[in-house]
Amino acid sequence: MARDSADLASDYQFWLQKLSVWEQASSKETQQDTCLHLSRFQEFLKQMYETLKEMDSNAILERFPTIGQLLAKACWNPLILAYDESQKYLIWCLCCLMNKEPRTPGESELNSWIRSLLSHVLSTFRFNLKEVSLFAENLGYELVDYCPSLLKNMVLSLVSELRESHLNGLNTQSRMAPERMMSLSQVCVPLVTLPDFEPLVEALLTYHGREPQEALSPEFFEAVNEAFLSKKMILPTSSVVSLWFRHLPSLEKATLHLFEKLFSSKRNRLGEVECCIKESLLPQAACHPAIFRIVDEMFRFVLLETDGAPEVIAALQVFTWCMAEALGKENKQMKFSLKTYFPYGAPALTAVLSQHPEAIPQRHQLQPLLHISQLLREAVEDPTHGSQQTPFESWFLFIHFGGWVDLAVQQLLRTEAEPPEGLLWLLAFYYSPQDGSQQRVQTMVELKALLSHLLMLLRGERLSAVDVQKAAPRAPICGQLVRRLLLSLLLWTPEGHPIAREAVTHMAHTDAVTHEIVGFLDQTLYRLDHLCVEASRKLARELLQELGAQV
Amino acid sequence: MEPLVQHMECFSEVLAVSCGAQVRSWDATTVRRALQWARYLLHVYRRFGGRGRAREALERRLQSRSGPLGLRSFAALEFGDARLALRLLRNRALAPVAAHALPSLLFPGPAADSEDDAPQSRLVLLARRGSALHLLLRLGGDAPRVALLRTHAELLCARLHELGGADPTAAHKLLDTLWTRGPHEHVLSVLGEALLRGLDLELAGAADCVGAKETPKLLQWLLESPEVLVAFCRQLPALRLASLAGCHPALSRAYLDLLTAWATQLHYDLQKGFWSPTQPEDMPWEELCLRLHSLCQASPLLQEEVLERLRGRRALDGDFEVPGMSIWTDLLLALPGGA
C-alpha cells in the first residue's frame, strides 16, 4: 500500500509537469506528445479516482494540494477531453473534490469553482462567430440540441473534402494539403472510438495520395489498430487491410494479438481457431503477398521458439486454408503467382502443394503424393539440387498444407502391396525433419515393418484392441507418428471401428498422450467437416467427446 | 394521455425557471425530482418518437403552452436532462444546498455507467463530442462553415416542421424574426442551403423527409418579402440560384424580373466601350452576364424563358442589332443561343 501511494505521488508530479508543458504550447510537437501519452494519462486518472473516492474534500486537498491545478489543466486540454473515457474520470475526480457540506466560505468557493469547471467541460465548444450561433438561438436551439448533428455534418464535410481529393488524383491541385491531412489524422487519434468519427477514419484509411511518403500520422494508425483489436471499433475489411498495408507495426501487433489468443494456455478446438483467425481479418489481408509474408515470418518465428509445437502447426494450416479460401473469393484480376507468397519454396513444389488434396479422386492420389515426396527429397537431401533451401525451409513450406500427410497415411493403410518408399519418406520427414539421411532410412525401415504388421492384423481373424496396443513404437520412429497410424487405422478401416473405443482408452495412458490424441481427433473432425465424409466423422466425434471429457 | 401532458408541462415550467432566480428556493430533492422527470420524458420521447398522432398531439400542446425558455417542441424532450443540467450548473442563483448536491446527482459514478437514460453517460458523451468539435474547428478550412450552414438549415427546417399547419402565419412570423435579428448574410446563406437541401431530398426520392416539405413555406415567404428577395438574389452565387430557379418557376420569374430591372440601371459608356453601373451598388455587367448565363445553362426551359424576355425587351427598344445601343441586344449577343 505504501509503495502504491509513493508511486501515485511521483506519477502525480510527472503528470502535473506534463500538463503544464502541454498548455504552454499548442504546436504540432506538443499535440503529438499529448497523443502519445493519452492512454497512460487515462490510467493515471483512473487510479486517482480510485484513491480520491475514499477521501473527503479536505483530506484530498491535504494530500494533493495542487489537485485543482492538475484537474483544471486537464479540463482545458481538448485532446484529453476527447479521448476515450478520460472526460468521465476527470468529471468523477472533480465530483470527489466537492464538499458535501461546506462550512467555510473557502469551501463554498471551491464548490463554485468546481461547478464552473464542470460547466466548461460540458461545453468546451464555443463557436467563434457569435452572430452565427445567435441564429440557432433565435430558432430556439442550444448547443445541446444540435451538437450531434453539427458533428455529423463536420465529419461529412471533411469526408467529402477527402473524397474529392481522391477523385482529383490526376489533378496536381489536390484539395487537401498533406499538412492538413496530417493534422486531421492527429486530431482523430483520441477520437477513433467515437462512433461519429467512423466515416472519417474510414475515409482517411482508404485515401491514397499521390505523394510517396505517408500523409497520416503513425499515432493515428496505432490508435485505430488498438481500437480495432480491442473491439472498441468496427471497421470494414478494406479499411483494416489498408491500415496494415500502410503501417507495419500495426500488422505485427495484430498478428501477435492473434497468437496470444490462439496459443494461450487454454487448448482451443480447431473450429474456434478458425473462428478466431477469420475474425482477425488477417487471412483476408494476407491475400496481399506482402502481408502474407510478414505473418508467415511471425509464424515461422513462433514455430522455432516452440520447437514445432503441434498447435502452432495446426494454426498455421488453418490460417493457410483460410487465406486460400479468401483468395478464391477475391477478384480474379488480383491473382498473384504463388512464388510471391512462398519465395523460399521451389516453384514446382509450391504449385503441387497448393492443390487441394481433397479435390483429387482417391485412385489418383498417389501420384501427386509421390511427386511431392520426390521434390522435397531432392530439396532436402541433394546438396546440389535446390540448394537454396535448408531442410527447415522445405519442412516449413510443407507444413503449410496439412491435407497431404493425412492422404499419405490413408494411402499407406490401403495398399496391400509394398508401401511406396516416397510415402514412407514423407511421413518420416514430416515428423522428424531434423534427422540425417541415415536416421531417416532407419525410420523408414521400421515404419515399413510396422505397417506390414498392422496390415497383417487387419487381414487376420478378428482385430482386437490388445493387438493394436502391442504395436509399440520402435526407435527411431517417434511416438506421435505411431499413434497417428494407429488412430488412422481405427478410424479409417471398417475393422477398426468396433475396437476403437477400447484401443483408444488403452492408448491414452498419460495426460500428454491424451492431449495429443484429442488434438488429432479434433483435427480429423475439422478436416472431415470440410470434406463431409459421414461415417468416420460420427465415430471421430463420439470419441472426441468422450476423451475430451476426461481431460 | 393527460397525466403525461401534465408531466410535460410541469417539466417545461421547471426548465423555464431553471435559468432564473426562482431556483433560490430549490433543494437537493427538487433537483433530483426534476432529473427524474427529465428521464421519464426521455422515455416518452423514445416511445412516441416515430411519427404518429400521439406525437403531433403532444407537439401541439407544447407549442400552445410553452414559453421560449421551456420545452419548445417534442424534440426537446430528448435533451431535457442535459439542458437542465447545463442551466443549473451555470446558474449562480441556485440555492447552495442544491448546488452542492448537483454534481453527484448528475454524475453518481461507475454504478450508473451502464444506464443509457441517466444523465451521466449522456452528458459525458456531450463533453466528448463538444471537444471533438473544438478540435475539428481548430483545423480551420472550409469544413466548419459548410457544416454550420448545413446544420442551421436542418434546424430551420425542423423548427418549421414543428410549427406544422396549425397556424399558417407562424412560419412567416418566425422567418420575419430571423431576418430582423440577422445577420442578413447568414440568414440568406442558410435559406439558400435549406432550399437546395429540399431540392436534393426531392430528387433523391426522399420527398417525405423533413426539409423537403418545408421548401414551399420558405419559398412563399421569400417571394412575399421583397427586401429579402432582392438581397437573396444579389448575394447567393449564380450557380446556386440557377439550380433553385430551375426547379421553382415562381422563383425563376421573380429572379428574372430582378435581373432585367438591374439591367436597366446600366448605361453605355461610349468612351470606355462597355455597359457600366450608374450607382456604385448596381450590379456590374460581368455579373449580370454570368447570372443570365448560369440560368441558360440550368435547363433548356429556363434558357427559352430568358431569351424570350430579352428579345421582348429588345423589340421594345427598337430591335437594334448594333452593340452599344440597347443593353438587351448586347446581352443576347453574350448569351448562348441569343444571337
Side-chain angles (χ1 to χ4, degrees), chain A residues 71-300:
Chain A
L71 293 176
K73 286 185 210 275
C75 287
W76 281 87
N77 193 319
L79 286 166
I80 293 179
L81 284 182
Y83 179 69
D84 203 29
E85 300 183 298
S86 295
Q87 68 289 128
K88 187 173 71 175
Y89 290 114
L90 262 177
I91 290 173
W92 283 349
C93 287
L94 282 171
C95 289
C96 291
L97 202 50
M98 286 282 288
N99 262 291
K100 295 297 177 288
E101 273 152 39
R103 271 165 295 190
T104 72
E107 289 174 1
S108 291
E109 265 299 304
L110 178 64
N111 280 6
S112 201
W113 179 82
I114 293 172
R115 271 197 349 266
S116 64
L117 203 52
L118 281 173
S119 171
H120 163 80
V121 165
L122 293 174
S123 46
T124 52
F125 166 70
R126 286 259 184 276
F127 216 73
N128 297 329
L129 305 159
K130 235 1 247 268
E131 328 92 59
V132 143
S133 70
L134 266 172
F135 182 87
E137 275 174 43
N138 293 339
L139 275 173
Y141 290 112
E142 295 169 79
L143 178 67
V144 75
D145 297 303
Y146 61 81
C147 187
S149 68
L150 182 56
L151 185 57
K152 179 195 78 178
N153 283 328
M154 275 288 255
V155 167
L156 278 176
S157 224
L158 288 164
V159 168
S160 61
E161 224 185 289
L162 271 170
R163 296 237 188 270
E164 273 191 43
S165 322
H166 190 116
L167 288 172
N168 276 340
L170 294 170
N171 189 352
T172 49
Q173 196 89 22
S174 150
R175 246 190 99 182
M176 201 181 266
E179 304 85 54
R180 185 166 158 79
M181 274 198 69
M182 176 67 74
S183 311
L184 181 57
S185 68
Q186 195 77 297
V187 161
C188 286
V189 169
L191 290 159
V192 293
T193 53
L194 186 61
D196 306 282
F197 265 65
E198 206 246 293
L200 187 54
V201 172
E202 226 181 296
L204 281 170
L205 284 175
T206 49
Y207 171 84
H208 296 293
R210 313 247 328 141
E211 307 82 30
Q213 63 272 35
E214 182 56 72
L216 303 179
S217 84
E219 293 84 42
F220 171 71
F221 291 122
E222 272 166 34
V224 179
N225 201 40
E226 262 315 303
F228 171 70
L229 290 177
S230 53
K231 295 205 170 30
K232 282 187 176 173
M233 178 182 204
I234 309 224
L235 280 171
T237 310
S238 53
S239 300
V240 179
V241 173
S242 190
L243 161 68
W244 289 334
F245 225 81
R246 294 160 77 163
H247 192 239
L248 178 60
S250 290
L251 173 60
E252 290 172 345
K253 227 183 197 165
T255 315
L256 285 172
H257 183 94
L258 176 64
F259 286 175
E260 233 165 276
K261 263 204 268 190
L262 295 178
F263 309 138
S264 55
S265 47
K266 188 171 88 78
R267 186 177 196 98
N268 290 315
R269 295 272 181 262
L270 280 184
E272 289 163 27
V273 168
E274 183 183 332
C275 246
C276 267
I277 290 181
K278 278 194 170 153
E279 235 176 36
S280 74
L281 300 186
L282 282 166
Q284 294 89 317
C287 292
H288 292 271
I291 294 186
F292 177 80
R293 299 239 284 256
I294 292 174
V295 179
D296 204 34
E297 262 306 302
M298 294 176 79
F299 263 111
R300 180 205 296 254

Side-chain angles (χ1 to χ4, degrees), chain B residues 48-318:
Chain B
F48 294 107
R51 294 139 142 291
R53 326 251 320 259
R55 175 175 177 154
E56 283 169 26
L58 291 169
E59 188 88 74
R60 260 177 277 132
R61 276 300 272 276
L62 271 176
Q63 304 282 351
S64 60
R65 297 293 192 87
S66 269
L69 287 173
L71 290 167
R72 299 267 309 231
S73 64
F74 184 81
L77 290 176
E78 194 185 357
F79 300 111
D81 54 3
R83 203 183 231 94
L84 182 66
L86 282 168
R87 286 183 185 182
L88 290 178
L89 277 172
R90 287 196 199 119
N91 196 343
R92 300 250 155 239
L94 185 62
V97 60
H100 300 320
L102 183 62
S104 36
L105 282 173
L106 291 175
F107 305 105
D113 231 358
S114 52
E115 299 169 11
D116 74 331
D117 56 350
Q120 178 168 280
S121 46
R122 292 148 56 69
L123 287 169
V124 165
L125 182 59
L126 178 65
R128 192 169 187 205
R129 281 176 162 158
S131 50
L133 276 170
H134 181 111
L135 288 168
L136 287 177
L137 211 69
R138 274 203 320 209
L139 280 177
D142 255 347
R145 199 189 58 88
V146 171
L148 192 72
L149 217 54
R150 230 169 252 161
T151 311
H152 281 179
E154 283 168 12
L155 292 176
L156 176 60
C157 291
R159 190 54 92 206
L160 285 174
H161 178 82
E162 282 160 13
L163 288 176
D167 175 10
T169 61
H172 271 231
K173 278 191 220 138
L174 174 65
L175 290 164
D176 281 336
T177 317
L178 285 172
W179 177 250
T180 323
R181 294 204 189 149
H184 287 185
E185 198 200 313
H186 188 73
V187 174
L188 292 172
S189 302
V190 174
L191 194 57
E193 181 73 34
L195 285 170
L196 209 66
R197 209 175 142 265
L199 204 69
D200 284 340
L201 286 170
E202 250 182 73
L203 289 174
D208 255 356
C209 261
V210 172
K213 286 193 180 152
E214 274 42 62
T215 313
K217 290 185 211 167
L218 289 168
L219 261 176
Q220 192 186 9
W221 175 76
L222 182 61
L223 291 168
E224 289 173 11
S225 320
E227 185 196 332
V228 188
L229 184 61
V230 168
F232 186 75
C233 294
R234 224 31 230 274
Q235 179 186 300
L236 254 68
L239 280 172
R240 187 160 272 215
L241 273 169
S243 319
L244 290 173
C247 302
H248 301 291
L251 180 62
S252 68
R253 251 172 282 128
Y255 187 33
L256 201 49
D257 286 342
L258 281 169
L259 285 171
T260 42
W262 289 329
T264 56
Q265 294 300 102
L266 300 178
H267 77 274
Y268 195 71
D269 188 325
L270 218 63
Q271 271 199 322
K272 295 187 190 153
F274 64 79
W275 293 91
S276 67
T278 353
Q279 310 284 351
E281 64 267 15
D282 288 342
M283 181 175 280
W285 166 262
E286 294 77 16
E287 203 184 324
L288 195 59
C289 279
L290 173 66
R291 285 174 182 273
L292 286 166
H293 192 101
S294 309
L295 278 176
C296 291
Q297 301 271 343
S299 80
L301 217 64
L302 217 46
Q303 183 176 20
E304 237 344 279
E305 219 180 294
V306 170
L307 294 176
E308 215 184 289
R309 175 75 68 97
L310 293 177
R311 284 185 193 125
R313 289 304 187 99
R314 183 181 62 181
L316 287 174
D317 259 8

Side-chain angles (χ1 to χ4, degrees), chain A residues 453-469 486 489-490 493-500 502-503:
Chain A
H453 176 76
L454 288 174
L455 289 170
M456 189 192 71
L457 286 175
L458 276 179
R459 264 174 275 141
E461 277 279 320
R462 240 193 73 228
L463 190 59
S464 81
V466 181
D467 294 330
V468 168
Q469 196 195 351
L486 293 177
L489 184 106
L490 293 169
T493 63
E495 297 89 343
H497 285 197
I499 57 157
E502 205 189 325

Side-chain angles (χ1 to χ4, degrees), chain A residues 417-459:
Chain A
E418 285 270 304
E421 235 195 62
L423 294 184
L424 296 174
W425 187 93
L426 207 59
L427 283 180
F429 175 63
Y430 182 78
Y431 278 98
S432 312
Q434 68 277 22
D435 282 350
S437 32
Q438 277 287 50
Q439 216 175 4
R440 191 162 295 129
V441 166
Q442 250 320 88
T443 309
M444 284 160 68
V445 165
E446 294 297 338
L447 204 51
K448 192 165 167 183
L450 174 62
L451 275 167
S452 75
H453 176 76
L454 288 174
L455 289 170
M456 189 192 71
L457 286 175
L458 276 179
R459 264 174 275 141

